[in-house]
């Protein structure tokens, strides 16, 4: 059978159940970074494992040193391509809680959107593929290809366990193409295929000064303030346009190709609208690059969190004993996260003022990714997306990171297809995360048609 009118009609009939199932999954608070949520994270893994098992796939829960991964596969089809769907069931923390209209784990429908943590990143998106495969199997017809699933619980904390285990999983995960829906459309009404992602390197820096907080009247002027030292150090990492000041930082940055710049210039970019949608008066960044170029293909530095001194009500005149920052760099091909770590250490060595001590912890590191733009899988996805969304997708890169993707390319030697169903105002990682219900259903349809299109390739 093809993704014929029969299957598409069946998908339409099943739409209320598809939505109800996503709501069930979203109720499980699977925050991977929260050590008090270990059992809820496991429950989210079990939920999707059960769903896949009920549909007749063979399913395994793969334990890791951290949160478990769910692996499933449909029967092998001789001579047909093998696709691996990768996604994650873990979610980001939810604070600030008081900015959510509904509780982050009380999924709520409003104006055609489903609001909950994980709605778009990534439960809602990965479930589109789970639903399409389950419904295809429920139709009683064999799939025209083999689909494998790897749905992990540690993407939002850097996928380190998966990375460690990938070589030994190589045979199980062997495939012609990895399909990932964990990114976005270019704009409302303009779906996209993403052929590039930025990499990332994340850090925690602690500046220690006096052995305890001190009265800033008695001691101010006599000791270096760790919070000031921290601010100076962070400030010294970038210039006023956001150019990173680490030694050698730009040495390996691959320059944008002229063709690529021309193609992106044809996308409907609108800086004032982009600025106003995020509530800023004007945009910011490196000179000589457009906003999309800066977001997708230029490396950056950002502070993600700052802590020091008195955070409570009123005045407390102290010199804090210590100060901490979490910060990160977005990387592009061919920057190496390990070399960035050495450069950060060198920079701290050179710039840390006397009278305080620094300690740097490197957390996650992953390189930037580029995938083929004209593979047979891209052509198949073009047709599937056009059928489901009514519009041909545009080719884009994105600024976010999926730490394991370059390892898939290296270890599995496969193609990579990033099909994002989200929108840029879906509030991923922010309060009031949402997924448009229509995009969820269109994603399921596109996925069902994609299996058909890929099945026809051989
Ligand atoms: N789904 C995102 C990655 C993404 C975001 C792709 C936007 C395309 C556009 C993923 O879940 C994510 O948030 N990754 C983290 C990785 C980090 C925690 C190691 C990221 O990019 O910050
Ligand atoms: Mn994600
Ligand atoms: Mn994320």
């Amino acid at each position: 059978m093809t993704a014929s009118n029969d299957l598409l009609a069946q998908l339409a009939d099943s739409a209320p159940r598809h939505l109800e199932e996503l709501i069930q999954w979203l109720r499980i608070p699977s925050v991977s970074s929260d050590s008090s949520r270990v059992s809820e994270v496991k429950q989210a893994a079990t939920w999707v494992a059960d769903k896949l098992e009920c549909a007749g796939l063979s399913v395994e829960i793969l334990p890791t040193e951290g949160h478990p991964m769910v692996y499933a596969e449909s029967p092998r089809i001789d001579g047909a391509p093998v696709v691996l769907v990768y996604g994650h069931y873990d979610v980001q923390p939810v604070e600030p809680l008081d900015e959510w209209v509904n509780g982050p784990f009380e999924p709520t429908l409003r104006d055609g959107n489903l609001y909950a943590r994980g709605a778009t990143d990534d439960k809602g998106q990965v479930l589109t593929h789970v639903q399409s495969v389950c419904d295809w199997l429920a139709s009683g017809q064999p799939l025209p290809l083999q689909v494998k699933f790897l749905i992990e619980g540690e993407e939002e904390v850097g996928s380190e366990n998966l990375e460690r285990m990938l070589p030994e999983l190589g045979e199980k995960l062997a495939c012609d193409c990895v399909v990932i829906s964990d990114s976005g459309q270019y704009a409302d009404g303009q779906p996209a295929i993403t052929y590039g992602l930025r990499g990332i390197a994340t850090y925690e820096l602690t500046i220690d000064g006096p052995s305890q907080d001190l009265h800033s009247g008695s001691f101010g002027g006599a000791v270096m303030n760790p919070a000031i030292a921290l601010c100076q150090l962070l400030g010294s990492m970038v210039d006023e346009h956001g150019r990173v000041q680490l030694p050698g930082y730009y040495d390996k940055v691959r320059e944008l190709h002229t063709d690529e710049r021309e193609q992106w210039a044809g996308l409907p970019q609108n800086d004032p609208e982009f600025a106003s949608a995020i509530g800023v008066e004007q945009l910011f960044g490196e000179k000589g690059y457009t906003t999309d170029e800066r977001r997708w293909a230029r490396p950056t530095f950002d502070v993600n969190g700052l802590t020091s001194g008195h955070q409570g009500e009123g005045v407390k005149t102290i010199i804090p004993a210590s100060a901490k920052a979490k910060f990160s760099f977005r990387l592009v091909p061919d920057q190496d996260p390990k070399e960035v770590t050495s450069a950060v250490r060198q920079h701290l060595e050179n710039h840390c003022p006397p009278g305080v001590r620094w300690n740097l912890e490197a957390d996650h590191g992953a390189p930037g990714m580029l995938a083929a733009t004209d593979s047979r899988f891209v052509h198949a996805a073009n047709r599937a997306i056009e059928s489901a969304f009514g519009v041909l997708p545009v080719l884009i890169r994105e600024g976010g990171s999926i730490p394991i993707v370059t390892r898939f390319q290296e270890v599995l030697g496969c193609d990579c297809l990033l099909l994002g169903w989200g929108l840029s105002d879906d509030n991923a990682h922010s309060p009031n995360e949402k997924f448009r219900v229509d995009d969820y259903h269109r994603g399921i349809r596109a996925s069902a048609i994609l299996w058909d299109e890929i099945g026809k390739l051989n």
Side-chain angles (χ1 to χ4, degrees), residues 243 248-256 286 289 297-300 330-336 340 397:
R243 281 278 301 185
Y249 186 75
Y250 291 91
D251 289 358
K252 291 194 176 166
V253 168
R254 208 189 292 182
E255 270 306 321
L256 265 155
E286 224 183 341
Y289 297 93
R298 297 297 299 169
T300 53
R330 292 288 165 174
L331 310 178
V332 299
D334 300 307
Q335 288 180 296
D336 176 348
V340 172
R397 282 161 72 170

Side-chain angles (χ1 to χ4, degrees), residues 46-116:
T46 310
W47 187 92
V48 73
D50 287 350
K51 164 88 186 143
L52 287 159
E53 191 148 38
C54 287
L57 286 96
S58 78
V59 180
E60 282 174 73
I61 293 192
L62 305 173
T64 77
E65 279 171 35
H67 302 299
M69 303 187 282
V70 176
Y71 174 77
E73 60 182 35
S74 67
R76 233 199 100 68
I77 309 289
D78 277 335
V82 180
V83 160
L84 172 68
V85 173
Y86 166 79
H88 61 98
Y89 66 80
D90 66 322
V91 301
Q92 285 270 325
V94 296
E95 75 276 359
L97 246 187
D98 57 0
E99 287 187 28
W100 286 79
V101 174
N102 52 281
F105 301 109
E106 290 154 23
T108 304
L109 285 164
R110 221 166 32 243
D111 307 326
N113 295 305
L114 179 58
Y115 287 85

